[in-house]
Amino acid sequence: MTIDNIQQEGHGLPVDLSPLTPEELENISRDTGADEEENGKKPQYLVAIDILKDKVRPFLTPDDEVYVDYQNSNHTETIPVYSSQFNRLLNSLYYKEQGGVLNKESRSKIKDYFSAMAYDSGEVHEVGIRVMYQKGIIYYDLANEQREIVKISPESWEIIQNPPVRFIRKKGMLSNVRPDPLGDINILKKYLNLPNEEQWYLVSAFILQSLYSSPYPILVMNGEQGTGKTTNSKVICLTIDPSSVLLNSRPRDERDIFIAASNSLLLSFDNLSGISSHTADTFCRLSTGSGVRLRKLHTDDEEKFFYSARPILINGIDDLATRGDLISRSLLITPPVISNEDRITEKEFWSAFEEDRARILGGVFNALVIALRNLPTISLDEKPRMADFAQFSCAASEALGISQQSFINAYRSNINETNRNSIDLDPVALAIINLVHTKSLLNEDWFGTMSELADELLRFLPANLIGSKYIPQTPQAMSNKLKRITPMLLSVKVGVEKLDRQEDKRPYRLFKIPDDHDNPDNELPF
């Protein structure tokens, strides 16, 4: 085995499935540096390895990334080996000891050495960004210079150092304020422009879930200009995940979204004008947890695997949540227009918010303590799609000063309103509703295949949308469409039932759900 088996700087992990042991790599390294040793001078990389090897402990993550735990004075830092951050550490330590700077080749050999050590040790640990949940405890990284971590348990929260979990700090992460133990999450309400108390319950529940665990809901803010959508979004970001870039522009593709997820806790997108089907699918996968394989370089076939589950916040003037799968994961917030009398300057607003930030963050942690304490006692008789979110939010309702039923009512109302709003934007859903309504006047249900449904719906399109281009043209496409819009149809009492196969056909039944029948087998389970 030669040094060619080891990956070069910037290429990520070693691709050889049987990596070198530290001893083998050191022997190769000594041979490579023979010219320097013949001149009586120890190679740079060996000097640097001697400096570092008692200060760092290499390990792997579950997805085979190489990290080191670096003991720095009274705290431990976790650093990815193949990163500019590790480069800075190498240069800094070498400069302090030797008064010089490491060359690129030496840095590459040092990284390969610690990579081999990590593989040889077999030590594997998870790393987190900003928040980690482990064994019933939430750990929150304040990301300050003191490396302080907030430990949140069902009994209380406290600020500690050197927690039993590992956090990494990404470029652009900003420190959060030191929380006030006497804080109250309800202080945050005065900095959010929301139309009613019910939407405050949903926004606060989103914030708390974001600091707990997946699956996460997607917070969608729709509103015209002058409603404070962007300010609302910034306030939420600053509360739970401050960064140098609080809001992002439209993501170009799936790769952009997953790379963003690998660098921050909260993904926030500002002023979107519609969401493509592909982006909506990616948001849905990310909210519940998913991964993607991406090529590392165009020059080779090695892949990098990203797996993430992240809370997502989006805002825009257009209706953004229109697809059934996105709707079922979304909380739709509609800020009202701010009147001239109520509007204040940016300087006044942010100055007041900064004064309250410590109390707000302390209040968030106080609410999380209550939620963790109450969670084992919460049992939902009727479970919505995002059941974990609903359960945790009910556990936190005490911190908001409301009952569990008040939250469930607000959540149910939001889902139904979102579904009904989306129906108006979907020609197929409108045509099916017209079809079922016509049949119900004759006390009949509709029966047929997907091909027959496509033909039938042409007669029931709204007058301004006549044309086959609005109707899926294949049975599979119609079936997929029907699956996506079923939650919307259920919200207006239209039922969908797949019947047993008859010979080579798969018939469906579309029917009107009686008003006194609130929960048929295929209705939203509230």
Side-chain angles (χ1 to χ4, degrees):
M1 190 176 293
T2 70
I3 197 69
D4 293 331
N5 293 119
I6 306 299
Q7 48 97 50
Q8 298 301 307
E9 181 172 18
H11 287 202
L13 301 175
V15 297
D16 196 293
L17 296 179
S18 56
L20 297 174
T21 66
E23 292 77 16
E24 290 173 324
L25 183 59
E26 187 163 355
N27 289 336
I28 293 173
S29 298
R30 291 185 186 281
D31 292 341
T32 307
D35 290 342
E36 291 179 88
E37 290 186 303
E38 287 177 1
N39 295 327
K41 185 177 180 181
K42 194 172 185 179
Q44 270 194 337
Y45 61 89
L46 292 180
V47 174
I49 287 172
D50 287 340
I51 294 171
L52 261 77
K53 62 184 178 183
D54 293 330
K55 295 182 174 66
V56 301
R57 182 173 180 174
F59 67 91
L60 299 174
T61 63
D63 54 354
D64 269 358
E65 295 286 356
V66 185
Y67 284 78
V68 294
D69 287 334
Y70 166 60
Q71 187 61 41
N72 185 3
S73 62
N74 63 340
H75 66 266
T76 300
E77 299 178 21
T78 299
I79 303 172
V81 166
Y82 295 97
S83 69
S84 58
Q85 187 179 1
F86 193 67
N87 284 345
R88 291 192 294 271
L89 174 65
L90 293 178
N91 287 331
S92 175
L93 293 177
Y94 188 81
Y95 180 80
K96 288 178 181 178
E97 292 279 344
Q98 299 294 315
V101 178
L102 288 166
N103 59 47
K104 185 177 180 179
E105 182 182 1
S106 293
R107 291 199 305 269
S108 179
K109 291 177 181 178
I110 295 165
K111 293 175 184 180
D112 292 340
Y113 175 85
F114 287 115
S115 175
M117 283 188 66
Y119 277 100
D120 185 63
S121 72
E123 193 171 336
V124 178
H125 302 287
E126 291 187 356
V127 296
I129 298 175
R130 191 69 79 172
V131 169
M132 289 191 73
Y133 178 70
Q134 187 178 93
K135 298 179 180 179
I137 305 293
I138 298 171
Y139 297 93
Y140 179 89
D141 184 7
L142 291 175
N144 55 23
E145 292 183 2
Q146 296 76 29
R147 296 275 165 171
E148 292 178 322
I149 308 297
V150 181
K151 176 185 177 183
I152 308 160
S153 73
E155 290 76 38
S156 63
W157 62 264
E158 61 178 327
I159 297 176
I160 64 173
Q161 290 181 318
N162 298 317
V165 295
R166 290 166 169 82
F167 286 107
I168 54 175
R169 302 242 176 122
K170 293 289 189 172
K171 186 176 181 180
M173 283 182 67
L174 298 181
S175 63
N176 211 337
V177 295
R178 230 167 177 268
D180 184 343
L182 301 179
D184 182 354
I185 189 174
N186 291 288
I187 298 172
L188 181 61
K189 181 166 53 175
K190 69 180 181 180
Y191 295 103
L192 297 170
N193 182 39
L194 302 173
N196 52 50
E197 288 291 308
E198 286 191 344
Q199 294 212 342
W200 158 244
Y201 303 156
L202 299 175
V203 171
S204 56
F206 170 83
I207 290 171
L208 296 176
Q209 185 74 33
S210 297
L211 300 184
Y212 170 55
S213 180
S214 64
Y216 302 106
I218 300 170
L219 190 65
V220 181
M221 291 195 185
N222 282 139
E224 58 187 283
Q225 292 182 357
T227 57
K229 301 182 301 298
T230 297
T231 299
N232 281 350
S233 299
K234 287 181 178 180
V235 165
I236 294 170
C237 292
L238 285 169
T239 298
I240 61 178
D241 191 25
S243 67
S244 56
V245 180
L246 293 175
L247 305 177
N248 299 286
S249 58
R250 173 188 295 278
R252 289 178 299 177
D253 52 29
E254 182 182 61
R255 181 188 181 93
D256 278 357
I257 296 172
F258 272 91
I259 289 177
S262 70
N263 285 282
S264 60
L265 168 67
L266 177 62
L267 301 188
S268 53
F269 299 96
D270 184 44
N271 199 27
L272 299 188
S273 55
I275 297 177
S276 69
S277 297
H278 189 69
T279 298
D281 285 341
T282 304
F283 282 167
C284 290
R285 290 165 51 212
L286 198 54
S287 74
T288 52
S290 184
V292 62
R293 293 182 182 274
L294 301 173
R295 286 272 299 279
K296 284 187 175 183
L297 296 172
H298 294 293
T299 55
D300 60 33
D301 60 358
E302 190 177 358
E303 291 182 320
K304 181 176 177 63
F305 180 69
F306 290 93
Y307 179 89
S308 293
R310 291 286 185 267
I312 299 170
L313 188 164
I314 56 179
N315 74 62
I317 294 175
D318 297 345
D319 291 292
L320 299 174
T322 58
R323 291 165 54 92
D325 47 357
L326 184 60
I327 289 168
S328 65
R329 293 168 171 83
S330 295
L331 305 173
L332 181 60
I333 306 300
T334 53
V337 175
I338 302 172
S339 67
N340 291 335
E341 293 76 17
D342 293 332
R343 195 175 298 278
I344 63 174
T345 65
E346 291 266 331
K347 183 178 181 180
E348 291 174 309
F349 179 90
W350 291 115
S351 176
F353 177 72
E354 280 300 319
E355 289 185 8
D356 281 335
R357 275 184 72 187
R359 290 197 298 152
I360 291 170
L361 187 60
V364 168
F365 295 151
N366 289 336
L368 288 172
V369 170
I370 292 172
L372 292 176
R373 182 191 309 146
N374 291 339
L375 189 59
T377 68
I378 304 298
S379 177
L380 302 180
D381 295 330
E382 300 173 345
K383 295 180 176 65
R385 171 69 183 272
M386 301 289 283
D388 299 84
F389 165 67
Q391 184 180 33
F392 191 74
S393 299
C394 285
S397 60
E398 178 188 336
L400 302 177
I402 62 174
S403 67
Q404 296 175 31
Q405 192 60 48
S406 294
F407 173 78
I408 288 296
N409 290 344
Y411 191 30
R412 178 193 293 120
S413 175
N414 191 262
I415 288 178
N416 289 338
E417 184 65 24
T418 303
N419 283 324
R420 292 187 178 99
N421 288 344
S422 298
I423 286 172
D424 293 335
L425 303 173
D426 195 301
V428 175
L430 288 171
I432 289 176
I433 292 168
N434 289 336
L435 167 62
V436 171
H437 178 70
T438 300
K439 286 290 186 180
S440 70
L441 294 177
L442 302 173
N443 294 318
E444 296 177 357
D445 297 337
W446 182 88
F447 295 88
T449 65
M450 291 293 95
S451 294
E452 292 167 340
L453 180 60
D455 293 336
E456 189 87 7
L457 292 183
L458 290 175
R459 299 192 300 114
F460 291 94
L461 279 173
N464 63 328
L465 295 177
I466 298 299
S468 60
K469 67 178 182 178
Y470 297 104
I471 305 297
Q473 297 300 298
T474 67
Q476 185 62 52
M478 176 59 77
S479 176
N480 291 339
K481 178 65 176 180
L482 190 59
K483 289 177 184 177
R484 290 185 184 276
I485 66 175
T486 293
M488 292 190 284
L489 297 174
L490 293 172
S491 70
V492 291
K493 301 289 186 178
V494 172
V496 178
E497 181 183 6
K498 182 188 290 186
L499 303 177
D500 293 335
R501 182 177 292 277
Q502 299 176 5
E503 297 179 355
D504 60 342
K505 295 182 178 181
R506 169 71 81 178
Y508 283 74
R509 171 185 172 229
L510 304 180
F511 59 96
K512 186 178 187 301
I513 299 170
D515 290 337
D516 59 350
H517 189 49
D518 292 331
N519 192 27
D521 290 342
N522 65 344
E523 191 177 358
L524 284 175
F526 273 111

